[in-house]
Amino acid sequence: MRQIYLDHNATTPVRKEVLEAMMPYFSDECGNASSVHSKGQAARKAVEASREVVAHAIGTEPVDIIFTSGGTESDNCAIKGAAVANLAKGRHIITSEIEHLAVLESCKFAEEELGFEVTRLPVDKHGVVDLNNLKDSIRKDTVLISIMFANNETGTIQPIKEIGKIAKKNGVYFHTDAVQALGKESVDVEDLGVDLCSFSAHKLNGPKGVGALYIRKGVKILPYQTGGHHERRLRAGTLNVPGIVGFAKAVEIAAKDMKKTNKYFEKLTDKLLVGLKKELNEIYLNGHPEHRLSNTLNISFRYIEGESLILNFDMKGIFASTGSACTSGSLEPSHVLTAMGVPPDISQGSIRFSFGYENTEKDVEYCLAEIPPIVKRLREMSPLC
Ligand code: PLP
């Protein structure tokens, strides 16, 4: 049976070139990047070359990048680190209702353990925060704004540059979780005016368990993971050399191909949406119609539960998800769709199709042949119809 992986916002396959670049650092070049002997120095050289690639891709200098174990750690490091380091300034954080759990839980930690107040901004029906609302929420004691670049469930992109300007004007640090954006959108930290920015390799055809945090010079954060003197003492732990090398290779390829890939994704997602609409009624696009990641299509199929769809798709070799991989399995409606005002009877039937470079038009044609009969059959059995 054909297998069509359409869950790239959960994770992506490692590219062949990325794997090839990583391989020597598992064995022949196995040195610890902190060791002084030549094997250690070879590893250090690879790490620093990788740091340069990642820094260049986001318009900054290598010294502003620390490597981490991924997006979750980068978010924790940025939010908890900035909160603890700036207690003297105040105890107020602004975030949004649609953030990834790594951000929401870090803010909750600041609230419950450090005595912060957290303002969680609502979003409109497309999932976008209101800039006037943001301005009105800033207080004298606001330390940090944390608003994601692009949402993992819907792909909706926030007005990051405008938020950067507001943060700067008010002397507040601005963190953005750009985990889903890197490789799909231009992330230039100078242009965007962000102070802290989280990345993860496995969302752009790099390996799992490695990521980075951009920290603008002069931004005060305290390390939340302590130990050895790695990463300018901001993140202790032996560096994941193969992972870092693979991350840089993935970033390099994604940056080079970005324009072309986005056009390609647009073609595939448009074809799927138009084709499904032709065959089925009562289906709705969740997310911004234009300001959205080109690879992401979140669709609600009314009258059916997302979980039943996922299982039936799986039987036909189509792999999609009901939303965030981190919250799937819970039968709660998506906090993102709820914040966007999607009623429960529509949000419960939402499916996220997220494309990757290896998907083809033939894959979409297969989906268009297989999905409508599944939806029609499930609707016939649905007590909601
Ligand atoms: N932030 C966003 C927006 C994500 O989509 C994810 C992954 O699902 C994360 C953070 C967590 O990244 P990681 O899996 O590297 O910990």
Side-chain angles (χ1 to χ4, degrees):
M1 188 174 44
R2 210 184 165 101
Q3 297 218 330
I4 301 172
Y5 183 74
L6 290 175
D7 202 11
H8 293 81
N9 286 12
T11 196
T12 56
V14 172
R15 276 185 196 265
K16 196 165 87 2
E17 303 92 307
V18 168
L19 194 58
E20 274 167 11
M22 293 171 69
M23 286 310 272
Y25 297 96
F26 285 110
S27 49
D28 292 348
E29 297 298 343
C30 69
N32 183 322
S34 299
S35 297
V36 289
H37 52 66
S38 50
K39 278 245 181 273
Q41 289 316 296
R44 167 61 56 191
K45 215 168 139 195
V47 166
E48 294 316 322
S50 303
R51 203 186 303 277
E52 235 176 282
V53 170
V54 175
H56 182 253
I58 62 161
T60 192
E61 292 168 18
V63 69
D64 302 330
I65 302 287
I66 63 166
F67 288 114
T68 65
S69 66
T72 300
E73 186 189 329
S74 296
D75 287 342
N76 273 262
C77 193
I79 294 167
K80 294 178 184 170
V84 175
N86 296 282
L87 287 173
K89 182 183 174 202
R91 294 185 190 222
H92 180 231
I93 295 175
I94 301 172
T95 185
S96 81
E97 289 180 350
I98 56 148
E99 299 297 314
H100 189 271
L101 283 181
V103 166
L104 290 177
E105 290 294 315
S106 296
C107 290
K108 197 163 152 206
F109 175 90
E111 198 170 43
E112 290 176 354
E113 306 298 330
L114 304 171
F116 272 68
E117 277 184 61
V118 178
T119 301
R120 295 168 180 87
L121 297 176
V123 291
D124 67 14
K125 65 176 183 184
H126 296 314
V128 183
V129 295
D130 181 297
L131 294 176
N132 286 324
N133 203 355
L134 169 66
K135 280 184 211 157
D136 292 344
S137 304
I138 296 176
R139 315 189 318 208
K140 267 209 175 74
D141 62 342
T142 307
V143 169
L144 180 72
I145 297 170
S146 179
I147 297 196
M148 72 199 315
F149 195 122
N151 186 265
N152 42 303
E153 292 189 29
T154 63
T156 292
I157 295 170
Q158 301 297 330
I160 295 299
K161 197 167 169 171
E162 286 73 15
I163 298 172
K165 281 188 196 149
I166 294 168
K168 189 166 182 199
K169 196 167 161 209
N170 288 277
V172 176
Y173 289 156
F174 175 31
H175 165 248
T176 190
D177 174 334
V179 164
Q180 293 289 347
L182 188 66
K184 299 174 198 145
E185 291 291 316
S186 157
V187 183
D188 183 319
V189 290
E190 278 311 316
D191 182 49
L192 297 171
V194 303
D195 299 305
L196 296 154
C197 194
S198 305
F199 306 105
S200 177
H202 75 102
K203 306 291 183 179
L204 63 151
N205 305 103
K208 293 170 186 59
V210 61
L213 177 65
Y214 159 76
I215 310 170
R216 182 181 290 280
K217 285 183 200 70
V219 168
K220 268 190 359 195
I221 71 161
L222 275 184
Y224 100 110
Q225 179 165 309
T226 50
H229 297 173
H230 315 87
E231 299 300 87
R232 304 192 351 260
R233 297 194 182 206
L234 287 169
R235 194 273 180 181
T238 300
L239 290 172
N240 172 1
V241 182
I244 291 168
V245 168
F247 180 22
K249 192 70 188 172
V251 166
E252 196 180 284
I253 297 172
K256 181 166 64 64
D257 292 348
M258 198 163 75
K259 270 202 180 126
K260 203 174 70 192
T261 316
N262 274 338
K263 274 219 164 89
Y264 183 57
F265 287 160
E266 269 165 32
K267 194 167 151 188
L268 297 183
T269 49
D270 280 356
K271 188 175 168 114
L272 183 57
L273 182 62
V274 170
L276 288 175
K277 278 190 164 166
K278 218 162 123 190
E279 286 295 318
L280 297 164
N281 55 16
E282 301 255 29
I283 67 171
Y284 307 94
L285 173 72
N286 298 309
H288 200 287
E290 287 137 37
H291 303 301
R292 205 175 78 234
L293 293 176
S294 60
N295 78 320
T296 308
L297 199 58
N298 186 316
I299 299 175
S300 282
F301 298 85
R302 197 174 193 171
Y303 306 124
I304 317 176
E305 283 184 354
E307 284 71 21
S308 323
L309 285 169
I310 293 297
L311 293 177
N312 280 274
F313 291 173
D314 191 292
M315 286 190 267
K316 292 287 178 190
I318 300 168
F319 309 117
S321 78
T322 50
S324 163
C326 308
T327 43
S328 63
S330 100
L331 289 175
E332 291 285 298
S334 145
H335 72 283
V336 176
L337 300 186
T338 302
M340 287 160 59
V342 180
D345 68 315
I346 294 183
S347 73
Q348 67 163 6
S350 71
I351 298 292
R352 177 186 68 186
F353 301 98
S354 47
F355 286 77
Y357 77 92
E358 77 286 2
N359 290 129
T360 63
E361 284 201 58
K362 285 253 174 313
D363 291 346
V364 177
E365 282 154 20
Y366 180 82
C367 289
L368 288 174
E370 297 297 340
I371 292 175
I374 294 175
V375 173
K376 285 176 189 164
R377 186 165 42 80
L378 290 175
R379 277 183 177 168
E380 272 166 25
M381 297 187 310
S382 169
L384 303 168
C385 268

Coordinates of all heavy atoms in Angstrom, one line a residue, residues 24-67:
P24 N 30.2 10.8 10.4 CA 31.5 10.7 10.9 C 31.6 11.1 12.4 O 32.4 10.5 13.2 CB 32.3 11.7 10.1 CG 31.5 12.0 8.9 CD 30.1 11.7 9.2
Y25 N 30.7 11.9 12.9 CA 30.7 12.4 14.2 C 30.2 11.4 15.3 O 30.2 11.7 16.5 CB 30.1 13.8 14.3 CG 30.9 14.8 13.5 CD1 30.5 15.1 12.2 CD2 32.1 15.3 13.9 CE1 31.2 15.9 11.4 CE2 32.8 16.2 13.1 CZ 32.4 16.4 11.8 OH 33.1 17.3 11.0
F26 N 29.6 10.3 14.8 CA 29.2 9.2 15.7 C 30.3 8.3 16.0 O 30.3 7.6 16.9 CB 28.1 8.4 15.1 CG 26.7 9.1 15.0 CD1 26.2 9.5 13.9 CD2 26.0 9.3 16.2 CE1 24.9 10.2 13.9 CE2 24.8 10.0 16.2 CZ 24.3 10.4 15.1
S27 N 31.3 8.2 15.0 CA 32.4 7.2 15.2 C 33.8 7.8 15.0 O 34.4 8.1 16.0 CB 32.1 6.1 14.2 OG 31.9 6.6 12.9
D28 N 34.3 7.9 13.8 CA 35.7 8.3 13.6 C 36.0 9.6 14.3 O 37.0 9.8 14.9 CB 36.0 8.4 12.1 CG 35.9 7.1 11.4 OD1 35.9 6.1 12.2 OD2 35.9 7.0 10.2
E29 N 35.0 10.6 14.2 CA 35.3 11.9 14.8 C 34.4 12.0 16.0 O 33.6 12.9 16.2 CB 34.9 13.0 13.7 CG 35.7 13.0 12.5 CD 37.2 13.3 12.8 OE1 37.5 13.8 13.9 OE2 38.0 13.0 11.9
C30 N 34.7 11.1 17.0 CA 33.8 11.0 18.1 C 34.1 11.9 19.3 O 33.5 11.9 20.3 CB 33.8 9.6 18.6 SG 35.3 9.2 19.4
G31 N 35.1 12.8 19.0 CA 35.6 13.6 20.2 C 34.6 14.5 20.9 O 33.5 14.8 20.3
N32 N 34.8 14.7 22.1 CA 34.0 15.6 22.9 C 34.5 17.1 22.6 O 35.7 17.4 22.7 CB 34.2 15.3 24.4 CG 33.4 16.2 25.3 OD1 33.1 17.4 25.0 ND2 32.9 15.6 26.4
A33 N 33.6 17.9 22.2 CA 34.0 19.2 21.7 C 34.7 20.1 22.8 O 35.2 21.1 22.5 CB 32.8 20.0 21.2
S34 N 34.7 19.6 24.1 CA 35.4 20.3 25.1 C 36.8 19.8 25.4 O 37.5 20.3 26.2 CB 34.6 20.2 26.4 OG 33.3 20.8 26.3
S35 N 37.1 18.6 24.7 CA 38.4 18.0 25.0 C 39.5 18.8 24.2 O 39.3 19.3 23.1 CB 38.5 16.6 24.5 OG 37.6 15.8 25.2
V36 N 40.7 18.9 24.9 CA 41.8 19.7 24.2 C 42.6 18.9 23.2 O 43.2 19.5 22.3 CB 42.8 20.3 25.3 CG1 42.1 21.4 26.1 CG2 43.3 19.2 26.2
H37 N 42.5 17.6 23.1 CA 43.2 16.8 22.1 C 42.6 17.1 20.7 O 41.6 17.7 20.6 CB 43.3 15.3 22.5 CG 42.0 14.7 22.7 ND1 41.0 14.6 21.8 CD2 41.5 14.2 23.9 CE1 40.0 14.0 22.3 NE2 40.2 13.8 23.6
S38 N 43.4 16.6 19.7 CA 43.0 16.9 18.4 C 41.6 16.4 18.0 O 40.9 17.0 17.2 CB 44.0 16.6 17.4 OG 44.4 15.3 17.5
K39 N 41.2 15.2 18.5 CA 39.9 14.7 18.2 C 38.8 15.6 18.8 O 37.8 15.9 18.1 CB 39.7 13.3 18.8 CG 40.3 12.2 17.9 CD 39.1 11.3 17.4 CE 39.7 10.1 16.6 NZ 39.9 10.5 15.2
G40 N 39.1 16.1 20.0 CA 38.1 17.1 20.6 C 38.1 18.4 19.8 O 37.0 18.9 19.6
Q41 N 39.2 18.8 19.3 CA 39.3 20.0 18.6 C 38.6 19.9 17.2 O 38.0 20.9 16.7 CB 40.7 20.5 18.4 CG 41.3 21.0 19.8 CD 40.3 21.9 20.5 OE1 40.0 23.0 20.1 NE2 39.9 21.5 21.7
A42 N 38.7 18.7 16.6 CA 38.0 18.5 15.3 C 36.5 18.6 15.6 O 35.7 19.2 14.8 CB 38.3 17.1 14.8
A43 N 36.0 18.1 16.7 CA 34.6 18.2 17.0 C 34.2 19.6 17.3 O 33.2 20.1 16.8 CB 34.3 17.3 18.2
R44 N 35.1 20.3 18.0 CA 34.8 21.8 18.3 C 34.7 22.6 17.0 O 33.9 23.4 16.8 CB 36.0 22.3 19.2 CG 36.1 23.8 19.4 CD 34.9 24.4 20.0 NE 34.5 23.9 21.3 CZ 33.4 24.1 21.9 NH1 32.5 24.9 21.4 NH2 33.1 23.6 23.1
K45 N 35.6 22.2 16.1 CA 35.7 23.0 14.8 C 34.3 22.7 14.0 O 33.7 23.7 13.5 CB 36.8 22.4 13.9 CG 37.4 23.5 13.1 CD 38.7 22.9 12.5 CE 38.8 23.4 11.0 NZ 39.8 22.7 10.2
A46 N 33.8 21.5 14.1 CA 32.6 21.2 13.4 C 31.4 21.9 14.1 O 30.5 22.5 13.4 CB 32.3 19.7 13.4
V47 N 31.4 22.0 15.4 CA 30.4 22.7 16.1 C 30.4 24.2 15.8 O 29.4 24.8 15.5 CB 30.5 22.5 17.7 CG1 29.7 23.5 18.4 CG2 30.2 21.1 18.1
E48 N 31.6 24.8 15.7 CA 31.7 26.2 15.5 C 31.3 26.6 14.0 O 30.7 27.6 13.8 CB 33.1 26.8 15.8 CG 33.4 26.7 17.3 CD 32.2 27.2 18.2 OE1 31.5 28.1 17.9 OE2 32.0 26.5 19.3
A49 N 31.7 25.7 13.1 CA 31.3 25.9 11.7 C 29.7 25.8 11.6 O 29.1 26.6 10.9 CB 31.9 24.8 10.8
S50 N 29.1 24.9 12.4 CA 27.7 24.8 12.4 C 27.0 26.0 13.0 O 26.0 26.5 12.5 CB 27.3 23.5 13.2 OG 27.9 22.4 12.7
R51 N 27.6 26.5 14.0 CA 27.1 27.7 14.7 C 27.1 28.9 13.7 O 26.1 29.6 13.6 CB 28.0 28.0 15.9 CG 27.2 28.9 16.9 CD 28.2 29.3 18.1 NE 28.9 28.3 18.8 CZ 28.3 27.6 19.8 NH1 27.1 27.8 20.2 NH2 29.0 26.6 20.4
E52 N 28.1 28.9 12.9 CA 28.2 30.0 11.9 C 27.1 29.9 10.9 O 26.5 30.9 10.5 CB 29.6 29.9 11.2 CG 30.3 31.2 11.3 CD 31.6 31.2 10.7 OE1 32.5 30.6 11.4 OE2 31.8 31.7 9.5
V53 N 26.8 28.6 10.4 CA 25.7 28.4 9.4 C 24.4 28.8 10.0 O 23.6 29.6 9.3 CB 25.7 26.9 9.0 CG1 24.5 26.6 8.2 CG2 27.0 26.5 8.3
V54 N 24.1 28.4 11.2 CA 22.8 28.7 11.8 C 22.7 30.2 12.1 O 21.7 30.9 11.7 CB 22.6 28.0 13.2 CG1 21.3 28.4 13.9 CG2 22.6 26.4 12.9
A55 N 23.8 30.8 12.6 CA 23.8 32.3 12.8 C 23.5 33.1 11.5 O 22.7 34.0 11.4 CB 25.1 32.7 13.4
H56 N 24.2 32.7 10.5 CA 24.1 33.3 9.2 C 22.7 33.2 8.7 O 22.1 34.2 8.1 CB 25.1 32.7 8.2 CG 25.1 33.3 6.8 ND1 24.5 32.7 5.7 CD2 25.5 34.5 6.4 CE1 24.6 33.5 4.7 NE2 25.2 34.7 5.1
A57 N 22.1 32.1 8.8 CA 20.7 31.9 8.3 C 19.7 32.8 9.0 O 18.6 33.1 8.5 CB 20.3 30.4 8.5
I58 N 20.0 33.2 10.3 CA 19.0 34.1 10.9 C 19.6 35.5 11.1 O 19.0 36.3 11.9 CB 18.6 33.5 12.3 CG1 19.8 33.3 13.3 CG2 17.9 32.1 12.1 CD1 19.3 33.2 14.7
G59 N 20.6 35.8 10.3 CA 21.1 37.2 10.3 C 21.8 37.7 11.5 O 21.6 38.9 11.9
T60 N 22.5 36.8 12.2 CA 23.2 37.2 13.4 C 24.6 36.7 13.4 O 25.1 36.1 12.5 CB 22.4 36.9 14.6 OG1 23.0 37.5 15.8 CG2 22.4 35.4 14.9
E61 N 25.3 36.8 14.6 CA 26.7 36.3 14.7 C 26.7 35.0 15.5 O 25.8 34.9 16.4 CB 27.5 37.4 15.4 CG 27.7 38.6 14.6 CD 28.3 39.8 15.4 OE1 28.9 39.5 16.5 OE2 28.2 40.9 14.9
P62 N 27.7 34.2 15.3 CA 27.7 32.9 16.0 C 27.6 33.0 17.5 O 27.0 32.2 18.2 CB 29.0 32.3 15.5 CG 29.4 33.0 14.3 CD 28.8 34.3 14.3
V63 N 28.2 34.1 18.1 CA 28.3 34.2 19.5 C 26.8 34.3 20.1 O 26.7 34.1 21.3 CB 29.2 35.4 19.9 CG1 28.5 36.7 19.5 CG2 29.5 35.4 21.4
D64 N 25.9 34.7 19.3 CA 24.5 34.9 19.8 C 23.7 33.6 19.8 O 22.5 33.6 20.2 CB 23.7 35.9 18.9 CG 24.5 37.2 18.9 OD1 25.1 37.5 19.9 OD2 24.4 37.9 17.9
I65 N 24.3 32.5 19.4 CA 23.6 31.2 19.3 C 24.0 30.2 20.4 O 25.2 30.0 20.5 CB 23.9 30.5 18.0 CG1 23.5 31.4 16.8 CG2 23.2 29.1 17.9 CD1 22.0 31.5 16.6
I66 N 23.1 29.6 21.2 CA 23.5 28.5 22.0 C 22.8 27.2 21.5 O 21.6 27.4 21.1 CB 23.3 28.7 23.5 CG1 21.9 28.9 23.9 CG2 24.2 29.8 24.0 CD1 21.6 28.7 25.4
F67 N 23.4 26.1 21.4 CA 22.8 24.9 21.0 C 22.1 24.2 22.2 O 22.6 24.3 23.3 CB 23.8 23.9 20.4 CG 24.2 24.4 19.0 CD1 25.5 24.8 18.8 CD2 23.3 24.5 18.0 CE1 25.9 25.2 17.5 CE2 23.7 24.9 16.7 CZ 25.0 25.3 16.5

